[in-house]
Amino acid sequence: MKRTFSFEQARKLLPDIRRITREAATKADLMLADLRTTPKTDPQSPALHQDYENLLNEWADRIVDLGCEVKGVWLVDFDSGHGYYCWKHPEEDLGYFHSYEDGFRGRQRIQ
């Protein structure tokens, strides 16, 4: 359910986005530590990779359900109707904007 957000609406939703992302990122860090120490030849390796992928997909689904767009791992865009308010974990606040064409590389600090 894609939405269009005012800056105020996006900032109001940000604490939920941050909490959901922080929880998923913490789990992901633990999973990545296991993945780094598990040889690819280990029979558990495919399951560990699948669990990590499932975690990322579940996080993305929760973010999309709130009306936002997922543009990468821990990267969330709020459509303003003129471009995107852009947030990336672990940023504290919603401090960036970019046009539809420019994407993440075109992020500009919101004054």
Side-chain angles (χ1 to χ4, degrees):
M1 92 179 170
K2 188 174 171 184
R3 293 175 46 188
T4 302
F5 295 87
S6 68
F7 182 69
E8 293 78 21
Q9 290 168 327
R11 279 188 93 199
K12 186 175 181 181
L13 186 57
L14 188 61
D16 291 333
I17 300 288
R18 289 182 64 222
R19 178 185 47 77
I20 291 165
T21 303
R22 183 178 55 249
E23 290 169 1
T26 299
K27 290 177 186 175
D29 288 344
L30 295 172
M31 291 174 147
L32 286 172
D34 285 344
L35 284 168
R36 285 187 194 106
T37 59
T38 303
K40 291 182 180 180
T41 56
D42 187 305
Q44 291 298 317
S45 182
L48 293 173
H49 283 276
Q50 187 62 54
D51 289 346
Y52 180 73
E53 186 175 323
N54 290 344
L55 175 72
L56 294 179
N57 288 332
E58 289 168 12
W59 167 78
D61 289 345
R62 290 183 71 189
I63 299 302
V64 169
D65 285 347
L66 294 171
C68 301
E69 297 183 32
V70 171
K71 298 297 177 94
V73 178
W74 320 139
L75 179 59
V76 179
D77 280 353
F78 301 80
D79 190 344
S80 74
H82 304 287
Y84 294 106
Y85 302 112
C86 183
W87 177 81
K88 182 163 179 59
H89 175 72
E91 294 170 351
E92 291 294 321
D93 200 1
L94 189 59
Y96 295 91
F97 181 87
H98 63 79
S99 71
Y100 293 126
E101 296 81 24
D102 290 338
F104 185 81
R105 285 188 239 171
R107 287 190 347 151
Q108 301 290 321
R109 179 155 289 285
I110 298 170
Q111 301 297 338

